[in-house]
Amino acid sequence: MFTGSIVALITPMDEKGHICRTSLKKLIDYHVINKTKAIVSIGTTGESATLSQEEHINVVMLTLELADQRIPIIAGTGANATTEAISLTKRFEKSGIAGCLSVTPYYNKPTQEGLYQHFKAISENTELPQILYNVPSRTGCDLLPETVSKLSKFNNIIGIKEATGDLSRINKIKQLVKNDFLLISGDDITALDFIQLGGHGVISVTANVAAKEIRKICEYALKGDFAKARSINKRLTLLHEALFIEPNPIPVKWLAKKIGLIKSDTLRLPMTPILHSTRLQLEKAIQYANL
C-alpha cells in the first residue's frame, strides 16, 4: 500500500472555510475508481499549517470514514514540537490508519542529532508505521542520508518521502539502508526519474487532478516499462510545473474545482486566491495533458 501512486490529498472547504464533506467524499471516490494506492490526509497539500489540531484530527477521521476501507489512509502527523507530534500520532492508534507521514520539524532548524532524537521519540511511542518526510524548501532543515540510515533501524520507520528534488539522494540513501526501506518521491516533476533510479513510488500533488495518469506512470515504471511511463509523463510535464507556479495548494485546488472534483477552491489566510496568469498556465497545461 506504500508503493506506487499515493495522493497528497487537498482538503476541500466551503466558501466559509468549513470542511466540505460532500467534496471530500467525491475526491475519495475519484481515487478509489482510479486505483490510487493510498491517500495522505492532512499533509502539506492538505493545508495542515492552517487547520487547528482538532480540525486536523477530524478531517483524518472523516477521510477514514468516507473511504470505508476501500483505500488505505495515511495520516499527516508531523509537528515542530516533538511532544505535539507524539500526541498527534498516538491519537490515531487503533483508528484504522495505515500509517503516518511525519515531516521534519519546521522553523526551529534542529541539528541532525535533534532530528534523530525527534523521530526516535515518535517511533518509541507508537506501533504505527512511520514514513519520514524531508522537504527542506518548506521546513528550513534537511534530513541527511546518514541520519535516515540511523532511523531506518527502528522497525516501524519504514521509509522516507524525499522531496528535495535532488536525484542523487536516492543512491546515497539506498547505500545506507536495507532493501525493504521505502524511497518515495515527493516531487512530481522528478518522480519518474526517481523511480527509475530505484524509488518505490510518489506522494503526488498532480494525482489530485490526474489520478489515473499518475497511477499508470507508476505502474509502468515499477514494471520497468519506462517508454510507456515517459509517454504519459511527457503529457503531464506542463501540469507538474504549473501546479507549483504559486505555493501549493493554491493552483491544485483551483484546478480541482475547475474540473468538477470540489465545489469551492477556498483557502485560508495567509494563502490567497489564484492569480489570473496562473489560471491561464493551468488551462494550457490541462489542454496539453488531454485531461
Side-chain angles (χ1 to χ4, degrees):
M1 71 179 74
F2 298 119
T3 62
S5 175
I6 301 170
V7 63
L9 198 70
I10 57 178
T11 299
M13 302 173 187
D14 63 24
E15 293 180 354
K16 294 182 179 180
H18 301 136
I19 307 306
C20 180
R21 180 188 178 101
T22 303
S23 291
L24 183 57
K25 173 68 160 55
K26 190 169 186 178
L27 283 171
I28 294 167
D29 290 347
Y30 168 72
H31 287 287
V32 170
I33 290 167
N34 286 290
K35 301 179 182 178
T36 299
K37 291 295 290 291
I39 287 172
V40 171
S41 178
I42 312 300
T44 304
T45 309
E47 297 177 80
S48 58
T50 55
L51 298 182
S52 69
Q53 187 171 102
E54 181 181 3
E55 287 177 316
H56 185 137
I57 293 167
N58 288 343
V59 173
V60 173
M61 296 306 291
L62 180 59
T63 304
L64 260 178
E65 175 194 331
L66 297 175
D68 194 24
Q69 299 184 339
R70 295 175 298 159
I71 185 171
I73 307 299
I74 301 166
T77 53
N80 61 339
T82 305
T83 53
E84 183 179 348
I86 291 171
S87 174
L88 193 54
T89 302
K90 289 178 75 67
R91 176 62 182 81
F92 297 118
E93 291 277 1
K94 304 186 189 307
S95 67
I97 286 294
C100 300
L101 180 69
S102 190
V103 71
T104 52
Y106 40 86
Y107 185 76
N108 40 23
K109 294 187 177 182
T111 63
Q112 293 302 303
E113 179 61 20
L115 290 169
Y116 173 76
Q117 293 295 339
H118 172 81
F119 288 115
K120 176 177 180 288
I122 296 171
S123 171
E124 291 174 341
N125 279 277
T126 185
E127 295 180 357
L128 286 169
Q130 301 291 305
I131 300 172
L132 309 171
Y133 179 14
N134 188 37
V135 56
S137 62
R138 283 186 177 266
T139 62
C141 64
D142 188 0
L143 187 63
L144 297 179
E146 293 76 15
T147 309
V148 175
S149 174
K150 289 171 63 180
L151 289 167
S152 72
K153 293 176 173 57
F154 293 93
N155 289 335
N156 61 341
I157 296 180
I158 63 170
I160 183 169
K161 176 185 176 183
E162 179 58 57
T164 58
D166 178 3
L167 293 172
S168 70
R169 280 292 174 93
I170 303 168
N171 284 331
K172 290 176 183 177
I173 296 172
K174 281 179 73 68
Q175 290 171 8
L176 298 171
V177 298
K178 294 180 181 178
N179 290 337
D180 61 354
F181 189 78
L182 297 172
L183 300 175
I184 305 169
S185 172
D187 179 58
D188 278 299
I189 294 172
T190 60
L192 177 53
D193 292 326
F194 187 99
I195 295 172
Q196 188 164 8
L197 290 169
H200 300 97
V202 60
I203 295 178
S204 170
V205 175
T206 306
N208 277 284
V209 292
K212 181 173 69 174
E213 288 77 8
I214 298 298
R215 187 253 301 169
K216 285 186 174 181
I217 289 168
C218 289
E219 285 180 349
Y220 284 132
L222 289 170
K223 291 176 182 176
D225 193 342
F226 294 104
K228 287 182 179 177
R230 291 197 179 282
S231 176
I232 300 170
N233 196 58
K234 183 178 180 181
R235 290 194 285 113
L236 298 184
T237 301
L238 291 180
L239 182 58
H240 293 326
E241 295 172 350
L243 288 173
F244 291 91
I245 293 173
E246 293 186 54
N248 179 40
I250 294 173
V252 72
K253 282 192 105 171
W254 178 84
L255 188 51
K257 178 188 175 184
K258 180 176 178 60
I259 65 176
L261 286 173
I262 59 176
K263 293 181 178 180
S264 171
D265 60 340
T266 300
L267 301 143
R268 289 184 179 177
L269 286 171
M271 306 303 279
T272 51
I274 193 168
L275 298 172
H276 178 68
S277 58
T278 306
R279 294 184 186 185
L280 295 178
Q281 289 290 92
L282 285 167
E283 288 171 349
K284 179 182 177 181
I286 61 173
Q287 287 176 2
Y288 187 78
N290 193 29
L291 293 179

